[in-house]
mmCIF file of all heavy atoms in Angstrom:
data_model
loop_
_atom_site.group_PDB
_atom_site.id
_atom_site.type_symbol
_atom_site.label_atom_id
_atom_site.label_comp_id
_atom_site.label_asym_id
_atom_site.label_seq_id
_atom_site.Cartn_x
_atom_site.Cartn_y
_atom_site.Cartn_z
ATOM 1 N N GLU A 251 73.139 71.265 -102.539
ATOM 2 C CA GLU A 251 73.993 70.196 -103.041
ATOM 3 C C GLU A 251 73.621 68.836 -102.455
ATOM 4 O O GLU A 251 74.061 67.805 -102.971
ATOM 5 C CB GLU A 251 75.451 70.508 -102.734
ATOM 6 C CG GLU A 251 75.995 71.698 -103.520
ATOM 7 C CD GLU A 251 77.387 72.097 -103.081
ATOM 8 O OE1 GLU A 251 77.939 71.419 -102.179
ATOM 9 O OE2 GLU A 251 77.928 73.073 -103.640
ATOM 10 N N HIS A 252 72.832 68.815 -101.386
ATOM 11 C CA HIS A 252 72.504 67.557 -100.707
ATOM 12 C C HIS A 252 71.000 67.298 -100.629
ATOM 13 O O HIS A 252 70.551 66.509 -99.793
ATOM 14 C CB HIS A 252 73.104 67.549 -99.288
ATOM 15 C CG HIS A 252 74.604 67.538 -99.265
ATOM 16 N ND1 HIS A 252 75.345 68.682 -99.411
ATOM 17 C CD2 HIS A 252 75.482 66.511 -99.128
ATOM 18 C CE1 HIS A 252 76.633 68.372 -99.356
ATOM 19 N NE2 HIS A 252 76.742 67.078 -99.192
ATOM 20 N N LEU A 253 70.232 67.945 -101.510
ATOM 21 C CA LEU A 253 68.789 67.754 -101.476
ATOM 22 C C LEU A 253 68.386 66.297 -101.693
ATOM 23 O O LEU A 253 67.346 65.854 -101.212
ATOM 24 C CB LEU A 253 68.119 68.628 -102.552
ATOM 25 C CG LEU A 253 68.079 70.135 -102.286
ATOM 26 C CD1 LEU A 253 67.509 70.857 -103.490
ATOM 27 C CD2 LEU A 253 67.253 70.442 -101.039
ATOM 28 N N HIS A 254 69.202 65.545 -102.415
ATOM 29 C CA HIS A 254 68.880 64.148 -102.711
ATOM 30 C C HIS A 254 68.986 63.252 -101.483
ATOM 31 O O HIS A 254 68.477 62.134 -101.482
ATOM 32 C CB HIS A 254 69.844 63.629 -103.781
ATOM 33 C CG HIS A 254 71.273 63.648 -103.320
ATOM 34 N ND1 HIS A 254 72.044 64.798 -103.336
ATOM 35 C CD2 HIS A 254 72.060 62.676 -102.793
ATOM 36 C CE1 HIS A 254 73.243 64.525 -102.866
ATOM 37 N NE2 HIS A 254 73.287 63.254 -102.526
ATOM 38 N N ASP A 255 69.656 63.726 -100.444
ATOM 39 C CA ASP A 255 69.912 62.914 -99.251
ATOM 40 C C ASP A 255 68.691 62.938 -98.323
ATOM 41 O O ASP A 255 68.374 63.983 -97.753
ATOM 42 C CB ASP A 255 71.144 63.455 -98.519
ATOM 43 C CG ASP A 255 71.529 62.598 -97.322
ATOM 44 O OD1 ASP A 255 70.804 61.628 -97.011
ATOM 45 O OD2 ASP A 255 72.548 62.910 -96.700
ATOM 46 N N PRO A 256 67.997 61.808 -98.139
ATOM 47 C CA PRO A 256 66.822 61.811 -97.263
ATOM 48 C C PRO A 256 67.171 62.049 -95.798
ATOM 49 O O PRO A 256 66.295 62.340 -94.984
ATOM 50 C CB PRO A 256 66.222 60.408 -97.475
ATOM 51 C CG PRO A 256 67.359 59.581 -97.948
ATOM 52 C CD PRO A 256 68.239 60.488 -98.744
ATOM 53 N N HIS A 257 68.450 61.937 -95.462
ATOM 54 C CA HIS A 257 68.892 62.156 -94.080
ATOM 55 C C HIS A 257 69.412 63.580 -93.854
ATOM 56 O O HIS A 257 70.090 63.841 -92.858
ATOM 57 C CB HIS A 257 69.979 61.146 -93.713
ATOM 58 C CG HIS A 257 69.549 59.717 -93.880
ATOM 59 N ND1 HIS A 257 68.556 59.137 -93.104
ATOM 60 C CD2 HIS A 257 69.951 58.763 -94.751
ATOM 61 C CE1 HIS A 257 68.381 57.884 -93.475
ATOM 62 N NE2 HIS A 257 69.209 57.627 -94.473
ATOM 63 N N LEU A 258 69.070 64.473 -94.776
ATOM 64 C CA LEU A 258 69.455 65.876 -94.615
ATOM 65 C C LEU A 258 68.537 66.512 -93.572
ATOM 66 O O LEU A 258 67.386 66.851 -93.860
ATOM 67 C CB LEU A 258 69.332 66.606 -95.959
ATOM 68 C CG LEU A 258 69.786 68.067 -95.993
ATOM 69 C CD1 LEU A 258 71.293 68.180 -95.807
ATOM 70 C CD2 LEU A 258 69.374 68.719 -97.321
ATOM 71 N N THR A 259 69.030 66.676 -92.388
ATOM 72 C CA THR A 259 68.250 67.206 -91.269
ATOM 73 C C THR A 259 68.969 68.410 -90.664
ATOM 74 O O THR A 259 70.175 68.599 -90.902
ATOM 75 C CB THR A 259 68.073 66.146 -90.175
ATOM 76 O OG1 THR A 259 69.378 65.805 -89.649
ATOM 77 C CG2 THR A 259 67.410 64.885 -90.733
ATOM 78 N N PRO A 260 68.265 69.225 -89.891
ATOM 79 C CA PRO A 260 68.943 70.338 -89.222
ATOM 80 C C PRO A 260 70.133 69.886 -88.381
ATOM 81 O O PRO A 260 71.170 70.557 -88.358
ATOM 82 C CB PRO A 260 67.832 70.938 -88.352
ATOM 83 C CG PRO A 260 66.580 70.660 -89.125
ATOM 84 C CD PRO A 260 66.791 69.297 -89.714
ATOM 85 N N THR A 261 70.004 68.748 -87.722
ATOM 86 C CA THR A 261 71.111 68.250 -86.899
ATOM 87 C C THR A 261 72.328 67.943 -87.759
ATOM 88 O O THR A 261 73.467 68.304 -87.419
ATOM 89 C CB THR A 261 70.681 66.993 -86.135
ATOM 90 O OG1 THR A 261 69.565 67.318 -85.297
ATOM 91 C CG2 THR A 261 71.822 66.471 -85.277
ATOM 92 N N ALA A 262 72.100 67.279 -88.908
ATOM 93 C CA ALA A 262 73.211 66.937 -89.795
ATOM 94 C C ALA A 262 73.845 68.187 -90.399
ATOM 95 O O ALA A 262 75.070 68.280 -90.541
ATOM 96 C CB ALA A 262 72.719 66.004 -90.896
ATOM 97 N N ILE A 263 73.006 69.161 -90.759
ATOM 98 C CA ILE A 263 73.519 70.403 -91.353
ATOM 99 C C ILE A 263 74.353 71.168 -90.334
ATOM 100 O O ILE A 263 75.446 71.662 -90.645
ATOM 101 C CB ILE A 263 72.360 71.267 -91.854
ATOM 102 C CG1 ILE A 263 71.628 70.562 -93.005
ATOM 103 C CG2 ILE A 263 72.852 72.640 -92.303
ATOM 104 C CD1 ILE A 263 70.300 71.182 -93.360
ATOM 105 N N ALA A 264 73.854 71.278 -89.116
ATOM 106 C CA ALA A 264 74.597 71.991 -88.073
ATOM 107 C C ALA A 264 75.943 71.324 -87.814
ATOM 108 O O ALA A 264 76.978 71.999 -87.687
ATOM 109 C CB ALA A 264 73.762 72.043 -86.798
ATOM 110 N N ALA A 265 75.945 69.998 -87.765
ATOM 111 C CA ALA A 265 77.197 69.275 -87.503
ATOM 112 C C ALA A 265 78.199 69.501 -88.625
ATOM 113 O O ALA A 265 79.405 69.664 -88.378
ATOM 114 C CB ALA A 265 76.904 67.787 -87.344
ATOM 115 N N ALA A 266 77.721 69.536 -89.871
ATOM 116 C CA ALA A 266 78.623 69.728 -91.006
ATOM 117 C C ALA A 266 79.263 71.108 -90.995
ATOM 118 O O ALA A 266 80.336 71.299 -91.584
ATOM 119 C CB ALA A 266 77.864 69.515 -92.311
ATOM 120 N N HIS A 267 78.619 72.078 -90.323
ATOM 121 C CA HIS A 267 79.149 73.438 -90.290
ATOM 122 C C HIS A 267 79.680 73.820 -88.905
ATOM 123 O O HIS A 267 79.968 74.992 -88.650
ATOM 124 C CB HIS A 267 78.064 74.426 -90.751
ATOM 125 C CG HIS A 267 77.742 74.299 -92.202
ATOM 126 N ND1 HIS A 267 76.852 73.356 -92.673
ATOM 127 C CD2 HIS A 267 78.215 74.960 -93.296
ATOM 128 C CE1 HIS A 267 76.773 73.452 -93.984
ATOM 129 N NE2 HIS A 267 77.576 74.401 -94.386
ATOM 130 N N HIS A 268 79.771 72.821 -88.024
ATOM 131 C CA HIS A 268 80.377 73.010 -86.703
ATOM 132 C C HIS A 268 79.686 74.101 -85.888
ATOM 133 O O HIS A 268 80.330 74.954 -85.253
ATOM 134 C CB HIS A 268 81.879 73.326 -86.854
ATOM 135 C CG HIS A 268 82.614 72.373 -87.732
ATOM 136 N ND1 HIS A 268 82.861 71.063 -87.367
ATOM 137 C CD2 HIS A 268 83.123 72.512 -88.988
ATOM 138 C CE1 HIS A 268 83.513 70.444 -88.347
ATOM 139 N NE2 HIS A 268 83.675 71.302 -89.341
ATOM 140 N N ILE A 269 78.361 74.093 -85.950
ATOM 141 C CA ILE A 269 77.569 75.017 -85.146
ATOM 142 C C ILE A 269 76.485 74.212 -84.441
ATOM 143 O O ILE A 269 76.215 73.060 -84.796
ATOM 144 C CB ILE A 269 76.920 76.130 -86.005
ATOM 145 C CG1 ILE A 269 75.996 75.523 -87.067
ATOM 146 C CG2 ILE A 269 77.983 77.013 -86.639
ATOM 147 C CD1 ILE A 269 75.236 76.551 -87.895
ATOM 148 N N SER A 270 75.846 74.813 -83.463
ATOM 149 C CA SER A 270 74.769 74.120 -82.761
ATOM 150 C C SER A 270 73.489 74.177 -83.588
ATOM 151 O O SER A 270 73.300 75.069 -84.424
ATOM 152 C CB SER A 270 74.532 74.769 -81.398
ATOM 153 O OG SER A 270 74.002 76.076 -81.546
ATOM 154 N N THR A 271 72.594 73.247 -83.331
ATOM 155 C CA THR A 271 71.313 73.239 -84.037
ATOM 156 C C THR A 271 70.507 74.492 -83.704
ATOM 157 O O THR A 271 69.828 75.048 -84.578
ATOM 158 C CB THR A 271 70.515 71.979 -83.669
ATOM 159 O OG1 THR A 271 71.310 70.824 -83.940
ATOM 160 C CG2 THR A 271 69.240 71.881 -84.484
ATOM 161 N N SER A 272 70.578 74.936 -82.479
ATOM 162 C CA SER A 272 69.829 76.136 -82.094
ATOM 163 C C SER A 272 70.344 77.365 -82.833
ATOM 164 O O SER A 272 69.551 78.228 -83.250
ATOM 165 C CB SER A 272 69.915 76.355 -80.582
ATOM 166 O OG SER A 272 71.269 76.528 -80.171
ATOM 167 N N TYR A 273 71.666 77.448 -83.039
ATOM 168 C CA TYR A 273 72.206 78.586 -83.787
ATOM 169 C C TYR A 273 71.789 78.504 -85.245
ATOM 170 O O TYR A 273 71.484 79.525 -85.884
ATOM 171 C CB TYR A 273 73.728 78.628 -83.676
ATOM 172 C CG TYR A 273 74.348 79.837 -84.341
ATOM 173 C CD1 TYR A 273 74.012 81.123 -83.932
ATOM 174 C CD2 TYR A 273 75.259 79.699 -85.378
ATOM 175 C CE1 TYR A 273 74.560 82.239 -84.539
ATOM 176 C CE2 TYR A 273 75.819 80.815 -85.993
ATOM 177 C CZ TYR A 273 75.470 82.076 -85.561
ATOM 178 O OH TYR A 273 76.011 83.180 -86.168
ATOM 179 N N LEU A 274 71.742 77.297 -85.798
ATOM 180 C CA LEU A 274 71.272 77.126 -87.178
ATOM 181 C C LEU A 274 69.851 77.664 -87.323
ATOM 182 O O LEU A 274 69.542 78.377 -88.289
ATOM 183 C CB LEU A 274 71.324 75.646 -87.558
ATOM 184 C CG LEU A 274 70.718 75.289 -88.921
ATOM 185 C CD1 LEU A 274 71.546 75.886 -90.047
ATOM 186 C CD2 LEU A 274 70.632 73.768 -89.077
ATOM 187 N N HIS A 275 68.988 77.326 -86.379
ATOM 188 C CA HIS A 275 67.604 77.806 -86.455
ATOM 189 C C HIS A 275 67.546 79.329 -86.340
ATOM 190 O O HIS A 275 66.721 79.975 -87.014
ATOM 191 C CB HIS A 275 66.765 77.154 -85.355
ATOM 192 C CG HIS A 275 66.458 75.706 -85.615
ATOM 193 N ND1 HIS A 275 65.789 75.285 -86.734
ATOM 194 C CD2 HIS A 275 66.738 74.587 -84.892
ATOM 195 C CE1 HIS A 275 65.649 73.967 -86.703
ATOM 196 N NE2 HIS A 275 66.229 73.519 -85.598
ATOM 197 N N ARG A 276 68.427 79.926 -85.551
ATOM 198 C CA ARG A 276 68.446 81.390 -85.430
ATOM 199 C C ARG A 276 68.869 82.036 -86.744
ATOM 200 O O ARG A 276 68.350 83.091 -87.123
ATOM 201 C CB ARG A 276 69.393 81.829 -84.304
ATOM 202 C CG ARG A 276 68.856 81.537 -82.908
ATOM 203 C CD ARG A 276 69.533 82.410 -81.863
ATOM 204 N NE ARG A 276 70.973 82.185 -81.795
ATOM 205 C CZ ARG A 276 71.549 81.240 -81.057
ATOM 206 N NH1 ARG A 276 70.800 80.405 -80.340
ATOM 207 N NH2 ARG A 276 72.851 81.123 -81.031
ATOM 208 N N LEU A 277 69.801 81.404 -87.469
ATOM 209 C CA LEU A 277 70.235 81.947 -88.757
ATOM 210 C C LEU A 277 69.086 82.033 -89.754
ATOM 211 O O LEU A 277 69.043 82.925 -90.595
ATOM 212 C CB LEU A 277 71.357 81.084 -89.340
ATOM 213 C CG LEU A 277 72.719 81.146 -88.661
ATOM 214 C CD1 LEU A 277 73.668 80.130 -89.294
ATOM 215 C CD2 LEU A 277 73.317 82.547 -88.742
ATOM 216 N N PHE A 278 68.146 81.095 -89.653
ATOM 217 C CA PHE A 278 67.058 81.026 -90.631
ATOM 218 C C PHE A 278 65.840 81.853 -90.231
ATOM 219 O O PHE A 278 64.839 81.851 -90.949
ATOM 220 C CB PHE A 278 66.657 79.575 -90.889
ATOM 221 C CG PHE A 278 67.471 78.905 -91.966
ATOM 222 C CD1 PHE A 278 68.783 78.542 -91.727
ATOM 223 C CD2 PHE A 278 66.937 78.668 -93.219
ATOM 224 C CE1 PHE A 278 69.551 77.936 -92.716
ATOM 225 C CE2 PHE A 278 67.684 78.070 -94.215
ATOM 226 C CZ PHE A 278 69.002 77.703 -93.960
ATOM 227 N N ARG A 279 65.912 82.566 -89.148
ATOM 228 C CA ARG A 279 64.773 83.397 -88.750
ATOM 229 C C ARG A 279 64.473 84.482 -89.774
ATOM 230 O O ARG A 279 63.319 84.904 -89.936
ATOM 231 C CB ARG A 279 65.048 84.044 -87.387
ATOM 232 C CG ARG A 279 64.915 83.073 -86.209
ATOM 233 C CD ARG A 279 65.263 83.764 -84.913
ATOM 234 N NE ARG A 279 65.201 82.835 -83.785
ATOM 235 C CZ ARG A 279 65.638 83.110 -82.567
ATOM 236 N NH1 ARG A 279 66.165 84.312 -82.310
ATOM 237 N NH2 ARG A 279 65.548 82.208 -81.603
ATOM 238 N N ASP A 280 65.492 84.950 -90.501
ATOM 239 C CA ASP A 280 65.291 85.999 -91.499
ATOM 240 C C ASP A 280 64.941 85.436 -92.874
ATOM 241 O O ASP A 280 64.790 86.197 -93.835
ATOM 242 C CB ASP A 280 66.559 86.852 -91.627
ATOM 243 C CG ASP A 280 66.864 87.629 -90.354
ATOM 244 O OD1 ASP A 280 65.906 87.942 -89.617
ATOM 245 O OD2 ASP A 280 68.046 87.917 -90.105
ATOM 246 N N GLU A 281 64.792 84.120 -92.992
ATOM 247 C CA GLU A 281 64.527 83.502 -94.296
ATOM 248 C C GLU A 281 63.048 83.210 -94.517
ATOM 249 O O GLU A 281 62.681 82.589 -95.506
ATOM 250 C CB GLU A 281 65.327 82.188 -94.420
ATOM 251 C CG GLU A 281 66.824 82.359 -94.270
ATOM 252 C CD GLU A 281 67.401 83.371 -95.248
ATOM 253 O OE1 GLU A 281 67.037 83.300 -96.443
ATOM 254 O OE2 GLU A 281 68.183 84.232 -94.816
ATOM 255 N N ASP A 282 62.201 83.633 -93.617
ATOM 256 C CA ASP A 282 60.756 83.430 -93.751
ATOM 257 C C ASP A 282 60.411 81.944 -93.835
ATOM 258 O O ASP A 282 59.453 81.552 -94.491
ATOM 259 C CB ASP A 282 60.223 84.171 -94.981
ATOM 260 C CG ASP A 282 58.697 84.240 -94.998
ATOM 261 O OD1 ASP A 282 58.110 84.266 -93.905
ATOM 262 O OD2 ASP A 282 58.106 84.252 -96.096
ATOM 263 N N ALA A 283 61.209 81.117 -93.208
ATOM 264 C CA ALA A 283 60.970 79.669 -93.201
ATOM 265 C C ALA A 283 61.900 79.026 -92.189
ATOM 266 O O ALA A 283 63.021 79.496 -91.973
ATOM 267 C CB ALA A 283 61.220 79.059 -94.582
ATOM 268 N N THR A 284 61.414 77.952 -91.559
ATOM 269 C CA THR A 284 62.316 77.167 -90.724
ATOM 270 C C THR A 284 63.289 76.416 -91.628
ATOM 271 O O THR A 284 63.126 76.372 -92.852
ATOM 272 C CB THR A 284 61.533 76.161 -89.870
ATOM 273 O OG1 THR A 284 60.908 75.196 -90.753
ATOM 274 C CG2 THR A 284 60.451 76.859 -89.038
ATOM 275 N N VAL A 285 64.299 75.808 -91.018
ATOM 276 C CA VAL A 285 65.268 75.048 -91.805
ATOM 277 C C VAL A 285 64.561 73.930 -92.571
ATOM 278 O O VAL A 285 64.779 73.738 -93.773
ATOM 279 C CB VAL A 285 66.369 74.457 -90.903
ATOM 280 C CG1 VAL A 285 67.385 73.684 -91.748
ATOM 281 C CG2 VAL A 285 67.067 75.562 -90.116
ATOM 282 N N ALA A 286 63.704 73.192 -91.885
ATOM 283 C CA ALA A 286 62.992 72.079 -92.529
ATOM 284 C C ALA A 286 62.103 72.575 -93.659
ATOM 285 O O ALA A 286 62.017 71.951 -94.730
ATOM 286 C CB ALA A 286 62.170 71.314 -91.499
ATOM 287 N N GLU A 287 61.426 73.713 -93.454
ATOM 288 C CA GLU A 287 60.573 74.269 -94.509
ATOM 289 C C GLU A 287 61.409 74.710 -95.702
ATOM 290 O O GLU A 287 61.009 74.504 -96.852
ATOM 291 C CB GLU A 287 59.779 75.457 -93.961
ATOM 292 C CG GLU A 287 58.676 75.061 -92.992
ATOM 293 C CD GLU A 287 58.074 76.261 -92.290
ATOM 294 O OE1 GLU A 287 58.699 77.358 -92.350
ATOM 295 O OE2 GLU A 287 57.007 76.120 -91.686
ATOM 296 N N TRP A 288 62.564 75.290 -95.440
ATOM 297 C CA TRP A 288 63.428 75.757 -96.532
ATOM 298 C C TRP A 288 63.901 74.570 -97.370
ATOM 299 O O TRP A 288 63.914 74.630 -98.601
ATOM 300 C CB TRP A 288 64.627 76.513 -95.960
ATOM 301 C CG TRP A 288 65.250 77.491 -96.913
ATOM 302 C CD1 TRP A 288 64.921 78.798 -97.088
ATOM 303 C CD2 TRP A 288 66.306 77.215 -97.845
ATOM 304 N NE1 TRP A 288 65.715 79.366 -98.057
ATOM 305 C CE2 TRP A 288 66.573 78.418 -98.546
ATOM 306 C CE3 TRP A 288 67.052 76.083 -98.149
ATOM 307 C CZ2 TRP A 288 67.549 78.512 -99.524
ATOM 308 C CZ3 TRP A 288 68.020 76.172 -99.136
ATOM 309 C CH2 TRP A 288 68.272 77.372 -99.814
ATOM 310 N N ILE A 289 64.273 73.478 -96.714
ATOM 311 C CA ILE A 289 64.688 72.261 -97.421
ATOM 312 C C ILE A 289 63.530 71.726 -98.258
ATOM 313 O O ILE A 289 63.700 71.380 -99.439
ATOM 314 C CB ILE A 289 65.162 71.187 -96.422
ATOM 315 C CG1 ILE A 289 66.440 71.647 -95.707
ATOM 316 C CG2 ILE A 289 65.400 69.856 -97.135
ATOM 317 C CD1 ILE A 289 66.851 70.733 -94.561
ATOM 318 N N ARG A 290 62.339 71.641 -97.663
ATOM 319 C CA ARG A 290 61.185 71.099 -98.374
ATOM 320 C C ARG A 290 60.844 71.933 -99.606
ATOM 321 O O ARG A 290 60.531 71.388 -100.674
ATOM 322 C CB ARG A 290 59.983 71.003 -97.434
ATOM 323 C CG ARG A 290 58.764 70.327 -98.069
ATOM 324 C CD ARG A 290 57.703 69.984 -97.052
ATOM 325 N NE ARG A 290 57.212 71.134 -96.327
ATOM 326 C CZ ARG A 290 57.510 71.406 -95.054
ATOM 327 N NH1 ARG A 290 58.293 70.592 -94.363
ATOM 328 N NH2 ARG A 290 57.015 72.470 -94.450
ATOM 329 N N ARG A 291 60.902 73.256 -99.487
ATOM 330 C CA ARG A 291 60.608 74.123 -100.631
ATOM 331 C C ARG A 291 61.585 73.887 -101.776
ATOM 332 O O ARG A 291 61.188 73.793 -102.943
ATOM 333 C CB ARG A 291 60.670 75.596 -100.205
ATOM 334 C CG ARG A 291 59.529 76.043 -99.312
ATOM 335 C CD ARG A 291 59.725 77.500 -98.925
ATOM 336 N NE ARG A 291 58.720 77.937 -97.957
ATOM 337 C CZ ARG A 291 58.703 79.141 -97.399
ATOM 338 N NH1 ARG A 291 59.629 80.037 -97.759
ATOM 339 N NH2 ARG A 291 57.772 79.476 -96.517
#
């Protein structure tokens, strides 16, 4: 829903969901891509 936002970063995503950035990165370990790679794809 926020792909158009050039400021969509892992830090911003983590803050919007009230979790730490490190926990966000752990969630994406099973997605075969880092958070930044998933956004870029």
Side-chain angles (χ1 to χ4, degrees):
E251 292 173 2
H252 294 82
L253 287 175
H254 62 279
D255 184 356
H257 303 294
L258 184 68
T259 63
T261 300
I263 295 167
H267 291 84
H268 310 290
I269 60 176
S270 68
T271 305
S272 60
Y273 184 60
L274 174 67
H275 287 301
R276 288 201 299 274
L277 289 175
F278 273 73
R279 285 177 183 170
D280 295 332
E281 302 304 314
D282 192 30
T284 65
V285 181
E287 288 170 345
W288 204 89
I289 294 171
R290 185 168 59 253
R291 289 178 186 176

